[in-house]
Amino acid sequence: MTAAVIVFPGSNCDRDVAVSLEAALGHAPIMAWHGDSTLPDVDLIVVPGGFSYGDYLRSGAMAANSPIMREVIARANGGTPVLGICNGFQVLTECGLLPGVLMRNASLKFVCRDVDLRVERADTVFTSQYTKDQVIRIPVAHHDGNYFTDPETHKALEDNGQVAFRYCAADGSITDDANPNGSLANIAGILNTAGNVLGMMPHPERLADPLLGGLDGAPMFSALAEAIAA
Amino acid sequence: MKARIHITLKNGVLDPQGKAIHHSLEGLGFDGVNDVRQGKFIEIELTDGDKVAAEAKVAEMCEQLLANTVIEDFSVEIDG
């Protein structure tokens, strides 16, 4: 049960997520450099947050075409769980593992604060330690988190139950006021159809230790540790 | 020869940056501005050769990297 964290030039949450993974797994993950074209055998891949390649052209566009991502795509298609957080979510949409795109926030402002999320799917390797409709508090920190896709793709996402998390009010209701970035249908995180790839804008690794002021992110890492140990 | 590429948001895709620019233009007193859409302009210097083949190659570059066709359209002009 080994995890890999992909590191691009400009990644800045790679070490934070490595700390969360180490706490859950009991040992440190492999840190895989973007220029590598091979990846050791691993049971979980995390594409972390940050500003890969300075967000040049479009957030995640350059990273999506880096050598390591060809290997990540192959592993994802082979069933390995892949978690993309924030910039990692942008990379996963740009490389085609997840549908849609993360556009500039509707407010045009960088949004950095804790938000409430409603868990829409608690039957995945990522979310099995949450319950469906549970409200969890996780920080966001992004400028390009405004999830968008065409109406047909959105309908398919909803019909297939691919929405994993939505921005919500404290009581779990889905409101415009609770939407920090203008995302379609308050979407904060989505799965691929197979359910082994999750992309999300909020940062579970930033509230996964008591010292950080909250623990709502920790169950994601312990769920993954449990899933890949099984 | 040179490829000039315009990348624009598709119709129907909200453009908050265009709206902010529109607002600023009005704030500066420019009247008669009905709408603003922001896009990208990219110039690529290419080895001289067949223009039709170059246009196809640049279109492929747009599909694979330069544009995100979920939200963006592109147009290519080749000057030779």
Side-chain angles (χ1 to χ4, degrees), chain A residues 57-58 61-62 65 93-94 100-101 103-108 146 148-150, chain B residues 7 9 12-17 20 40 42 64-68 70-72:
Chain A
L57 193 63
R58 295 179 306 276
M62 301 294 184
N65 291 290
T93 58
E94 281 284 345
V101 58
M103 295 177 50
R104 182 53 44 101
N105 292 345
S107 65
L108 298 177
N146 181 355
F148 178 84
T149 191
D150 60 75
Chain B
I7 296 167
L9 283 174
V13 175
L14 288 175
D15 179 11
Q17 293 177 98
K40 291 191 185 92
I42 299 174
Q64 285 188 27
L65 178 67
L66 304 179
N68 183 326
V70 176
I71 48 165
E72 293 170 331

Side-chain angles (χ1 to χ4, degrees), chain A residues 5-81:
Chain A
V5 177
I6 309 299
V7 186
F8 302 103
S11 294
N12 64 12
C13 301
D14 46 324
R15 295 185 206 185
D16 302 43
V17 85
V19 169
S20 297
L21 287 167
E22 184 167 356
L25 291 168
H27 57 266
I30 292 163
M31 306 305 276
W33 186 234
H34 71 111
D36 294 346
S37 47
T38 59
L39 191 60
D41 272 340
V42 291
D43 307 297
L44 166 68
I45 298 168
V46 178
V47 186
F51 297 86
S52 58
Y53 299 85
D55 275 354
Y56 291 170
L57 193 63
R58 295 179 306 276
S59 303
M62 301 294 184
N65 291 290
S66 62
I68 196 77
M69 285 309 295
R70 284 193 282 274
E71 190 61 25
V72 173
I73 291 166
R75 299 293 177 88
N77 290 332
T80 302

Side-chain angles (χ1 to χ4, degrees), chain B residues 8-29:
Chain B
T8 51
L9 283 174
K10 288 185 176 183
N11 285 334
V13 175
L14 288 175
D15 179 11
Q17 293 177 98
K19 279 201 164 51
I21 295 166
H22 189 175
H23 186 73
S24 286
L25 289 173
E26 286 176 339
L28 289 168

Side-chain angles (χ1 to χ4, degrees), chain A residues 24-220:
Chain A
L25 291 168
H27 57 266
I30 292 163
M31 306 305 276
W33 186 234
H34 71 111
D36 294 346
S37 47
T38 59
L39 191 60
D41 272 340
V42 291
D43 307 297
L44 166 68
I45 298 168
V46 178
V47 186
F51 297 86
S52 58
Y53 299 85
D55 275 354
Y56 291 170
L57 193 63
R58 295 179 306 276
S59 303
M62 301 294 184
N65 291 290
S66 62
I68 196 77
M69 285 309 295
R70 284 193 282 274
E71 190 61 25
V72 173
I73 291 166
R75 299 293 177 88
N77 290 332
T80 302
V82 176
L83 169 62
I85 299 168
C86 198
N87 187 227
F89 185 12
Q90 295 160 345
V91 174
L92 295 182
T93 58
E94 281 284 345
C95 76
L97 279 174
L98 292 171
V101 58
L102 283 313
M103 295 177 50
R104 182 53 44 101
N105 292 345
S107 65
L108 298 177
K109 293 189 169 71
F110 190 97
V111 178
C112 182
R113 59 182 166 87
D114 292 356
V115 297
D116 289 317
L117 300 178
R118 190 171 79 189
V119 178
E120 304 286 283
R121 288 281 304 271
D123 57 342
T124 75
V125 289
F126 307 96
T127 55
S128 63
Q129 294 190 4
Y130 299 118
T131 53
K132 185 169 163 25
D133 297 328
Q134 183 181 347
V135 176
I136 59 173
R137 177 148 274 237
I138 305 281
V140 291
H142 60 250
H143 209 164
D144 299 304
N146 181 355
Y147 185 78
F148 178 84
T149 191
D150 60 75
E152 296 76 40
T153 309
H154 178 219
K155 184 176 184 306
L157 285 174
E158 300 286 354
D159 290 350
N160 298 334
Q162 287 174 253
V163 179
F165 299 104
R166 282 184 222 269
Y167 303 109
C168 70
D171 66 355
S173 56
I174 304 301
T175 63
D176 286 345
D177 283 350
N179 189 337
N181 53 30
S183 285
L184 181 71
N186 284 39
I187 289 172
I190 57 166
L191 297 150
N192 65 345
T193 48
N196 68 308
V197 178
L198 170 66
M200 61 191 294
M201 289 311 296
H203 287 268
E205 79 280 11
R206 292 196 186 178
L207 272 185
D209 186 289
L211 278 177
L212 297 173
L215 280 168
D216 281 4
M220 180 167 292

